[in-house]
Amino acid sequence: MTKPVIEVESLAKSFGDNKVLKDITEKVEPGQVIVVIGPSGGGKSTFIRCLNLLETPTAGKVAFEGQDLTTLDQKSVNKLREKMGMVFQGFNLFPNMTVLENIKLAPMKVKSVDDAAATKRAHELLKRVGLDDHADSFPSSLSGGQAQRVAIARALAMDPKVMLFDEPTSALDPEMVGEVLNIMQELAKDGMTMVVVTHEMGFAKEVADRIWFMADGYIQENNTPDQFFAHPETDRAKDFLSKIL
Ligand code: ADP
Ligand code: MG
């Protein structure tokens, strides 16, 4: 039996009186690709941010490789968080550093990887996302799609056990969405464990092992993409799908 990479139990999160996550119990197994979909404001970002404790849960457990993060001190949380790569809607690259420096920074600072090794690895990752010829460019010279591919390479440089994506393509011009989704699909094929919040239903159908449909603070459905898209079970999911498909 392999341990789940992430396990949440009775997770709840409120902002003041606003109960955003009400009661979520789910697991992410090694190598699984989970796609989280659902209406805007339904708590998807809050949920994915709770997985690495960027948001502090109000109640419940969030375990990473069997360790409940909510019981650990900040230092231990930071240590485990290194193993969880995160890519957001905005690219958050450091504007005053080259692409290569952006990727080398965390491994050198946090993991004390030496310069030569970090440089070598950064070039490998840039090749993987098709941008090695931009190693010495500054982020401002990149397109949105290129910047997001660099952000993915930067997250991968820490050798994460899981990659968390929160709407990584929503801020992109339409013609750049595909290049980012392709990189993500390759990552999935290579066996990376992933939790992806996205509105890209083609990606969800093709790449997800499980769809988690989230609305009103609950995971309302947890199903295979085939089942979910062909036979949504809840009125909430039927209504959502009727609006987007
Ligand atoms: P989604 O990503 O599905 O659109 P969010 O998790 O961003 O949903 O938001 C869910 C709810 O939580 C919204 O009502 C939003 O206003 C609220 N919320 C999210 N983050 C915060 C915060 N930092 N402070 C207060 N309310 C927040
Ligand atoms: Mg969101």
Side-chain angles (χ1 to χ4, degrees), residues 14-168:
S14 300
F15 295 105
D17 293 339
N18 186 5
K19 291 186 178 148
V20 175
L21 305 178
K22 292 172 184 161
D23 182 5
I24 297 180
T25 298
E26 298 289 352
K27 283 178 209 186
V28 183
E29 303 289 351
Q32 258 189 339
V33 178
I34 306 292
V35 171
V36 182
I37 67 176
S40 179
K44 302 180 302 296
S45 292
T46 303
F47 173 69
I48 205 167
R49 291 164 60 81
C50 279
L51 297 184
N52 60 4
L53 252 54
L54 281 180
E55 293 290 357
T56 308
T58 308
K61 262 171 64 166
V62 179
F64 174 69
E65 296 191 320
Q67 278 191 284
D68 182 0
L69 298 176
T70 62
T71 64
L72 301 177
D73 59 35
Q74 192 59 47
K75 207 172 151 200
S76 313
V77 170
N78 288 345
K79 202 78 209 142
L80 292 176
R81 203 184 264 153
E82 290 167 20
K83 302 183 189 176
M84 311 169 96
M86 181 133 193
V87 176
F88 304 90
Q89 187 175 327
F91 324 118
N92 314 108
L93 298 175
F94 303 111
N96 55 333
M97 293 180 191
T98 65
V99 162
L100 193 78
E101 288 163 351
N102 263 278
I103 297 174
K104 284 163 61 176
L105 184 71
M108 290 181 66
K109 266 205 144 158
V110 179
K111 288 177 129 183
S112 308
V113 176
D114 70 49
D115 190 77
T119 303
K120 181 165 176 274
R121 175 94 171 110
H123 281 298
E124 283 165 12
L125 289 166
L126 280 172
K127 281 186 193 123
R128 187 159 169 194
V129 300
L131 288 171
D132 200 31
D133 52 340
H134 287 74
D136 298 321
S137 306
F138 282 87
S140 58
S141 72
L142 302 177
S143 71
Q146 289 172 331
Q148 199 59 309
R149 282 148 65 197
V150 172
I152 293 172
R154 185 176 61 172
L156 291 173
M158 290 295 281
D159 292 319
K161 292 284 177 63
V162 60
M163 286 284 287
L164 309 175
F165 293 90
D166 190 2
E167 299 201 29

